[in-house]
Amino acid sequence: MGVEAGAQAARARALAVLRIRSRALAVALLPAAVAVILLAGAAGDRLEGPVWDTARWVLTPFAVLVLLAAAGVALVVARARPAMSPTVPVTEEAAPDLYRMVRDLADRLDVPAPSAIALTPDCDSWLEDRTHPAHGPPPAEKHHDIAGAGKQAHRRHPVAPVLVIGSPFLWWMRVGELRAVLAPVIAGTGPSAHPDIAAARRFVRGLDAAVAVASAPRREPVSRAVLTGVGWVARLLLRSCRVHAAEMERGVAAAAAERAQAVDYGLRIVAQEQVGLAYAGWDRLLTRVALPAWRMGRWPSRLDAGVVAALTELSRRDRLAEGFASRLGERPACDLLEEPGTVDEAASLLAARLFHGGPAGSGPDWSPVDWSEYPDEVVDRKWRLDAARLHRVLDTMGVRPASGPAAPATGAPTLSRVLDHLADPGTARTARAAPADSPAGVPAASSPDTTSPQAPGAPDPLDDEDLSGTTAPSATLAARLSAELAREEAAPSPAAPSPASPAPASDAAALWDDRALPLFPLQPPRTARELLADHLTAMVCCAAMDTAGATPGLDWLDGPTLLIDGERTADLAPKVLTLIEDGDATPLRVWLSQLGIRPEKPVRLG
């Protein structure tokens, strides 16, 4: 009863959307209909006289203009390319077991099977209609037969939507859990096959695509004026359809959920818990582990495998390892793929493009990195490049090398130089008291490089709330680091995608706009305070590696980490913040002494 109620509600809302389409067509045809009546009246010696003649002369050209405008709007709506989610296609040859499981689910739910399967580098699953001609040719006819789209073979049936599965689900979930999660999604192919719902969805997608076409920047005044009118009409119709379309989708979801209750109901609660865990692990892996590598021009090629490692580590820390160990003994869903490593690599590259904006392929400045290589290729290199940037900025500021009997006579870079510069207990804890005419808003004595230009986007310590509560040397160094990093990021990279050169039309990725990358940025730009803390931490880690035998490491939940005697150091951040905010280097120096780190010794920079 619930399935029927949800489907009926969805169909009723679909008819409401189609009525709006019919009304729009009627409005466009009304002037032409009146003009035809007037012309027919004149031909039949009726409706004669100056008033009727004037009406004919005025209304006939107006009707022609309205028809031309309506035809133009209809043409743009019909030809506009609907948005398509960036995904990794999975052919039946690459995952026969996965296709078999999906079709078995469709048979049990008594709905058409999806026409194809694709993966998305996110923790979500949905059905996506890709029947527009711009989305490529429809799947092979054998897929329609296997999907069981209908009983009457002589009739042409609509192509079923594509099933998009979150790639982290395949690696973290077991086969039974994935089946339970996909059941309500696949059940949605039933309502989607109804002609009224399908027509309403095509109409709404066409309007949405037309709005996107009209919003694209253009220089030609004629086309800009025409598309402005098209965009206005499309937005008006979208506003009229919005409520009905939303209620239609709710009805479809309710019908699908109700139909899926009969399939693997007992396992669904456990599976939903795994969905939440997968999302938490995926988010942590992207922001803490993948993002530092992407910023270094490296993309981890096994992100989905990393989700398993991250969640296993999370279960160990939360004392859930015993329960998880028994679960991990079951068959993982990635076994449904013929070559999981190849699929994982493709999904990892797509994730880098969506969340960071990397190029579509490997290059000299954009190469894959394996997890076993991550500590040396990413962590060590990141720390040394940050330390090199820190000393380069200190050089431009005229900061002298560390002094004292233990300082190297060659002026080589040392941690002591940084500590001596930032350790200033007598400095007021804010940069706001600095004279406004001093460079970067700090006292002139602290910044002899008064002629150095500030890069666009660099924070001004007088205006940046993030730097309030820090010492003047810290604020100055943070602002200069931010300016230096802005210069580096503004420099063109040979691996970066060109805004004027989108991907070839034959590539599936060309169906979404490469020029808008990243589509889903993970984090806002780092603040000046965060940049200074990262660079100071990197300098400490370099000194630890070069003078105390420490090694770079990878923590699956926290990203780059420093290992001393094989143990992770977790108490460095508070000491760094004390130095930045208070100018007090004593806690950090005590920490260094306890671990045998020599701040006066030279370090190797990147």
Side-chain angles (χ1 to χ4, degrees):
M1 190 66 180
V3 177
E4 187 64 23
Q8 290 293 343
R11 292 167 189 168
R13 293 293 183 169
L15 289 175
V17 172
L18 295 179
R19 280 196 294 268
I20 292 174
R21 184 185 67 177
S22 300
R23 290 169 189 163
L25 179 61
V27 169
L29 294 178
L30 181 62
V34 176
V36 169
I37 293 175
L38 293 176
L39 292 174
D45 296 332
R46 299 173 183 272
L47 303 179
E48 295 181 342
V51 175
W52 294 110
D53 291 339
T54 302
R56 275 188 288 270
W57 281 104
V58 172
L59 193 58
T60 301
F62 175 73
V64 173
L65 290 177
V66 171
L67 284 177
L68 291 176
V73 172
L75 183 64
V76 173
V77 171
R79 299 191 61 181
R81 185 179 63 198
M84 188 177 80
S85 303
T87 55
V88 176
V90 179
T91 63
E92 185 172 355
E93 292 75 14
D97 291 344
L98 181 59
Y99 272 79
R100 192 177 300 113
M101 183 191 77
V102 169
R103 288 174 188 142
D104 178 66
L105 268 176
D107 289 341
R108 292 189 58 184
L109 294 168
D110 194 23
V111 297
S115 59
I117 298 176
L119 299 184
T120 177
D122 202 356
C123 294
D124 199 1
S125 296
W126 66 89
L127 294 172
E128 186 166 288
D129 186 355
R130 297 183 178 179
T131 57
H132 193 276
H135 293 162
E141 189 66 23
K142 65 176 183 178
H143 288 181
H144 299 179
D145 296 339
I146 296 175
K151 297 180 180 179
Q152 300 178 6
H154 65 279
R155 295 185 59 186
R156 184 180 181 273
H157 297 277
V159 178
V162 174
L163 173 62
V164 181
I165 306 174
S167 62
F169 293 164
L170 284 174
W171 269 260
W172 175 243
M173 290 185 174
R174 309 299 97 180
V175 172
E177 294 168 350
L178 180 66
R179 181 186 178 92
V181 167
L182 293 182
V185 181
I186 297 174
T189 61
S192 300
H194 192 275
D196 293 334
I197 295 177
R201 283 176 165 176
R202 284 195 301 270
F203 179 58
V204 173
R205 283 197 305 270
L207 293 176
D208 185 68
V211 170
V213 170
S215 302
R218 280 178 173 80
R219 296 182 179 178
E220 300 83 358
V222 177
S223 63
R224 185 166 62 247
V226 171
L227 289 176
T228 298
V230 172
W232 181 84
V233 174
R235 290 186 183 92
L236 177 63
L237 292 174
L238 271 179
R239 285 194 295 269
S240 303
C241 298
R242 182 178 299 145
V243 174
H244 296 301
E247 292 299 326
M248 177 184 69
E249 297 301 337
R250 289 192 184 97
V252 170
E258 187 67 25
R259 182 180 293 272
Q261 292 292 327
V263 178
D264 298 332
Y265 179 76
L267 190 58
R268 189 162 306 142
I269 297 177
V270 177
Q272 289 301 324
E273 293 177 354
Q274 303 310 316
V275 170
L277 279 174
Y279 183 85
W282 181 249
D283 179 73
R284 195 83 175 245
L285 186 76
L286 292 182
T287 55
R288 304 292 182 89
V289 179
L291 188 59
W294 293 339
R295 286 171 174 164
M296 295 294 300
R298 307 296 299 272
W299 53 278
S301 59
R302 295 292 186 271
L303 281 178
D304 291 306
V307 171
V308 179
L311 291 177
T312 302
E313 176 64 18
L314 179 62
S315 67
R316 185 188 65 82
R317 294 185 187 180
D318 290 348
R319 299 180 181 178
L320 299 174
E322 184 176 352
F324 275 88
S326 60
R327 176 184 166 275
L328 294 178
E330 302 172 10
R331 185 189 183 194
C334 62
D335 279 359
L336 299 173
L337 304 173
E338 290 293 300
E339 298 182 1
T342 303
V343 176
D344 194 357
E345 184 172 352
S348 299
L349 180 57
L350 181 57
R353 301 198 70 201
L354 296 180
F355 299 116
H356 185 67
S362 299
D365 296 328
W366 186 245
S367 57
V369 60
D370 193 72
W371 290 127
S372 60
E373 303 170 347
Y374 187 94
D376 293 329
E377 297 293 328
V378 175
V379 180
D380 182 88
R381 184 173 168 228
K382 173 187 182 300
W383 286 340
R384 297 195 185 278
L385 288 178
D386 286 353
R389 184 182 300 111
L390 177 61
H391 281 277
R392 188 163 61 249
V393 170
L394 291 176
D395 291 339
T396 61
M397 293 173 58
V399 177
R400 288 174 288 185
S403 59
T410 60
T414 63
L415 176 59
S416 293
R417 181 195 190 192
V418 184
L419 299 181
D420 292 345
H421 176 69
L422 294 179
D424 187 4
T427 305
R429 287 189 58 204
T430 180
R432 293 183 177 273
D437 57 347
S438 60
V442 295
S446 301
S447 181
D449 184 18
T450 58
T451 61
S452 176
Q454 190 173 12
D460 185 351
L462 286 174
D463 301 322
D464 191 358
E465 290 290 342
D466 176 66
L467 292 177
S468 62
T470 63
T471 64
S474 296
T476 306
L477 185 54
R480 296 300 181 90
L481 280 172
S482 183
E484 179 67 16
L485 193 61
R487 293 189 191 97
E488 295 177 7
E489 292 177 348
S493 171
S498 173
S501 303
S506 59
D507 187 0
L511 296 177
W512 47 284
D513 191 0
D514 284 4
R515 295 168 292 182
L517 294 174
L519 297 181
F520 312 104
L522 289 179
Q523 291 179 337
R526 287 172 291 179
T527 64
R529 182 196 295 259
E530 291 171 341
L531 284 175
L532 178 57
D534 288 346
H535 284 72
L536 182 54
T537 300
M539 188 63 204
V540 172
C541 293
C542 289
M545 291 188 295
D546 292 347
T547 67
T551 57
L554 166 61
D555 186 278
W556 290 110
L557 298 175
D558 295 326
T561 186
L562 181 68
L563 302 178
I564 298 181
D565 295 331
E567 296 293 330
R568 175 190 174 196
T569 57
D571 53 350
L572 175 58
K575 281 77 173 176
V576 170
L577 289 179
T578 300
L579 176 58
I580 292 174
E581 296 173 354
D582 302 329
D584 184 7
T586 301
L588 182 55
R589 291 187 184 276
V590 171
W591 186 86
L592 296 172
S593 176
Q594 291 174 344
L595 297 177
I597 302 173
R598 306 285 299 277
E600 74 281 0
K601 294 292 184 180
V603 298
R604 177 173 61 86
L605 303 181

